[in-house]
Amino acid sequence: CSSRVGLSQMHPMWQEPLEVPGGERQSPIDISLRKSVFDPNLKPLVTQYDPRTCQQIWNNGYSFLVEYDDTTDKSTLRGGPLEDQFRLCQFHFHWGENNSWGSEHTVDRHLYPAELHLVHWNADKYALFEEAVVAENGLAVIGVFLKVGKTHEGLQKLVDTLPAVRHKDSVVEFTKFDPSCLLPESTNEYWTYAGSLTTPPLTEAVTWIIMKQPIEVSHDQLAVFRSLLFTSAEEEVQKSMVNNFRVQQPLKGRTVRSSFT
Ligand SMILES: NS(=O)(=O)c1ccc(Cc2ccc([N+](=O)[O-])cc2)cc1
Ligand SMILES: [Zn+2]
């Protein structure tokens, strides 16, 4: 998908801008269980992902992105808090240097070792990803927490490809991958709130949908994530790609809704 737009200004430890102009709905946030509000009108999520739209994996110098062909409505998300149909553009992860931290969102301040983001844009309202990115609620990102446990069989195909994209700007073909294998069994229990991209350009265009149930991956699978590099092959000093998460942002009066009591 075309999320390559605007990535050039991104570099590993990009300086955290103190305040994004009009930053009233920044992400990530801490999800407080007692402050979230059950909304009985929230619908079940409907994902329809076609593995044939999976194209490649790209190390963009901040994470690795699995990119999908989003020129048709073959891989879509609708339902949940969403009014429109959204197209899957890419998914990527954020993780730490060890298993004690790495997620961007937290639940009652609980940190997970990693977090998956499935990025979708509103194809009912916009013709291109680039348009949706700057539009209020042009994007919908599903967040899934990762915890250390048994090996995730579906993830292993992806993990085996990572050494081929060790350096920044490397790309490798990656096909026939169905990202629904990375969703928890129950996708009916989630939190949702209005937020932003967690990396530049930090635009406030995202409806966040955070799954309550984490997925389990093995210690060794996470270790392969950490073998990736922020730096390109030409650079003398190689830097391990770890801690690629943003610090938590103020809620600023926003309400986090839950689809469950
Ligand atoms: N971490 S996250 O909030 O899910 C996230 C999702 C997608 C992107 C990719 C991206 C989104 C938009 C742009 N842009 O408009 O220049 C550039 C890169 C960046 C960050
Ligand atoms: Zn992300």
Side-chain angles (χ1 to χ4, degrees), residues 201-229:
L202 302 173
T203 39
E204 300 184 331
V206 182
T207 298
W208 280 95
I209 300 166
I210 310 287
M211 292 293 131
K212 180 188 177 209
Q213 189 186 355
I215 58 170
E216 278 189 38
V217 300
S218 71
H219 174 93
D220 290 354
Q221 287 178 315
L222 278 178
V224 179
F225 282 22
R226 300 187 189 110
S227 72
L228 293 176
L229 300 170

Side-chain angles (χ1 to χ4, degrees), residues 2-10 27 60 62 65 89-90 92-94 104 116-119 129-130 133-134 139 141-142 196-203 206 208:
S2 44
S3 68
R4 296 167 174 269
V5 168
L7 284 174
S8 52
Q9 79 268 29
M10 227 182 344
S27 295
N60 72 353
Y62 187 70
L65 286 73
C89 160
Q90 50 107 324
H92 62 274
F93 298 82
H94 303 262
E104 297 210 301
L116 158 66
H117 289 159
L118 294 139
V119 183
F129 176 85
E130 288 86 347
V133 169
V134 291
L139 300 182
V141 182
I142 296 177
S196 73
L197 294 174
T198 65
T199 66
L202 302 173
T203 39
V206 182
W208 280 95

Side-chain angles (χ1 to χ4, degrees), residues 66-135:
V66 179
E67 297 187 295
Y68 285 73
D69 167 20
D70 60 357
T71 55
T72 68
D73 270 338
K74 286 210 182 77
S75 289
T76 58
L77 164 65
R78 62 184 195 281
L82 306 171
E83 300 297 319
D84 297 316
Q85 177 163 280
F86 288 65
R87 270 185 208 164
L88 175 67
C89 160
Q90 50 107 324
F91 69 82
H92 62 274
F93 298 82
H94 303 262
W95 60 91
E97 63 192 86
N98 58 47
N99 293 335
S100 309
W101 64 76
S103 62
E104 297 210 301
H105 292 87
T106 50
V107 181
D108 281 353
R109 297 286 167 203
H110 176 75
L111 287 154
Y112 288 88
E115 184 173 331
L116 158 66
H117 289 159
L118 294 139
V119 183
H120 312 75
W121 56 276
N122 188 332
D124 282 349
K125 282 212 170 71
Y126 307 103
L128 290 171
F129 176 85
E130 288 86 347
E131 289 171 41
V133 169
V134 291

Side-chain angles (χ1 to χ4, degrees), residues 165-239:
V165 288
R166 193 150 183 260
H167 289 100
K168 177 182 178 210
D169 298 333
S170 40
V171 180
V172 68
E173 186 187 54
F174 188 66
T175 55
K176 295 190 280 303
F177 186 81
D178 179 354
S180 16
C181 78
L182 298 176
L183 295 174
E185 298 101 60
S186 149
T187 58
N188 293 335
E189 295 195 320
Y190 59 83
W191 297 281
T192 183
Y193 78 96
S196 73
L197 294 174
T198 65
T199 66
L202 302 173
T203 39
E204 300 184 331
V206 182
T207 298
W208 280 95
I209 300 166
I210 310 287
M211 292 293 131
K212 180 188 177 209
Q213 189 186 355
I215 58 170
E216 278 189 38
V217 300
S218 71
H219 174 93
D220 290 354
Q221 287 178 315
L222 278 178
V224 179
F225 282 22
R226 300 187 189 110
S227 72
L228 293 176
L229 300 170
F230 280 130
T231 43
S232 58
E234 297 72 39
E235 294 177 65
E236 292 76 48
V237 182
Q238 300 293 334
K239 293 195 195 98

